[in-house]
Amino acid sequence: MYGAMKVSIGGPLKLAFRPWVEGLENIPAEGPAILASNHLSFSDSLFLPSVLPRKVTFIAKAEYFTTPGVKGRLKAAFFKGAGQLPVDRSGSRGAGEAAVKSGIEVVERGELFGIYPEGTRSPDGRLYRGKPGGLARVALATGAPVIPVAMIDTEKIQPPGKVIPKLMRPGIRIGKPLDFSRYQGMDNDRFVLRALTDQVMYEIMTLSGQEYVDIYATAAKRQIAEAAKAEKQAQKQAEQAQKDAEKAAAEDAGKGSANS
């Protein structure tokens, strides 16, 4: 199914958007590797596999595979065909443990495992702090090389709220493999996890040219949402104050007319 999806979706995608690629030679012809990428758009998981000669497996939340009805079945078939693995977010430690387990299984099969260290899409095109769980733990548990990947301009193709994508050329830069095998087995050392993740994020920043923000993207999304909510509330208050002022002015004018 992956091959069929790559031809039916990846082929037209490449033809329509003509993504440019640098560093494709850094992808090993065989054997396991972890592709660590920035995350700007939903389409990242389509553009990257479309230009790779090998299958790459990403993880996706289980809800994508369990939605009922015809639409749900079609969605599940799409994600399965695109090489996505469902991650059950239930349990004591949720998606983190499930993602690590899934990643290790993919790597131990000698395949390519794709992961977004930021944990979610960037809310504003900047690069955010990498989470030290999934990426580092899979790398340290398996000894597989980590290949930094930078997706470029994919967020401009279909910004939030836009239905019709913009035809433009996104870019993909693939860096040289990073060897962390010297730390293999130290996946419970939080300082090693943090250092490994930060090194990978630095490489992604260098490849992408993005501004780096040393907070998690999830926290940034909360801040942006709270700021938008506060701005909306302030606007409502200003509009209400304007209405009250206009009403008071009209009442004063009416009183003045009556007195005259």
Side-chain angles (χ1 to χ4, degrees):
M1 186 180 291
Y2 184 88
M5 289 283 286
K6 188 167 183 177
V7 172
S8 62
I9 295 179
L13 199 72
K14 289 173 66 176
L15 184 64
F17 293 93
R18 300 180 299 116
W20 55 266
V21 188
E22 295 177 1
L24 194 58
E25 68 278 5
N26 293 320
I27 301 294
E30 59 183 20
I34 302 166
L35 306 186
S37 173
N38 60 339
H39 198 14
L40 297 171
S41 167
F42 167 78
S43 62
D44 294 336
S45 297
L46 300 177
F47 280 114
L48 181 56
S50 74
V51 302
L52 296 179
R54 297 177 58 189
K55 176 183 177 180
V56 57
T57 300
F58 286 89
I59 54 175
K61 56 186 179 181
E63 287 88 336
Y64 288 153
F65 299 82
T66 58
T67 304
V70 176
K71 185 176 180 181
R73 289 196 294 271
L74 290 174
K75 183 185 291 185
F78 170 80
F79 280 103
K80 289 178 182 177
Q84 309 284 304
L85 283 177
V87 171
D88 185 358
R89 296 186 297 177
S90 63
S92 60
R93 297 184 65 178
E97 290 297 324
V100 171
K101 182 180 178 182
S102 297
I104 291 173
E105 290 174 353
V106 171
V107 172
E108 289 183 341
R109 291 199 299 265
E111 300 174 5
L112 300 180
F113 174 62
I115 189 168
Y116 300 113
E118 291 168 280
T120 186
R121 280 177 279 178
S122 170
D124 54 13
R126 296 186 294 177
L127 183 68
Y128 285 85
R129 194 180 197 202
K131 293 189 173 182
L135 165 65
R137 289 180 61 195
V138 173
L140 296 177
T142 63
V146 178
I147 302 175
V149 177
M151 306 300 296
I152 299 171
D153 290 337
T154 54
E155 82 282 10
K156 298 177 182 178
I157 291 176
Q158 194 171 13
K162 297 291 183 180
V163 177
I164 301 176
K166 179 181 180 181
L167 286 177
M168 59 175 293
R169 295 189 73 187
I172 303 171
R173 285 198 182 101
I174 303 170
K176 294 184 180 299
L178 303 173
D179 182 9
F180 297 107
S181 59
R182 62 192 181 279
Y183 300 122
Q184 190 171 357
M186 300 176 67
D187 45 305
N188 289 321
D189 188 320
R190 62 189 181 92
F191 296 105
V192 172
L193 296 177
R194 182 76 265 162
L196 186 156
T197 305
D198 288 345
Q199 183 177 342
V200 173
M201 298 310 295
Y202 177 82
E203 295 296 333
I204 294 174
M205 179 188 70
T206 301
L207 291 168
S208 68
Q210 290 171 278
E211 177 186 349
Y212 179 75
V213 186
D214 196 24
I215 61 172
Y216 293 122
T218 48
K221 285 184 176 182
R222 286 195 299 271
Q223 292 176 3
I224 291 172
E226 290 169 0
K229 183 178 179 180
E231 183 179 356
K232 187 175 181 180
Q233 185 64 29
Q235 184 177 356
K236 284 184 178 180
Q237 291 175 348
E239 290 173 352
Q240 186 61 48
Q242 179 67 24
K243 289 179 181 179
D244 292 343
E246 291 173 355
K247 181 179 179 181
E251 289 175 350
D252 290 342
K255 291 178 181 178
S257 298
N259 291 334
S260 64

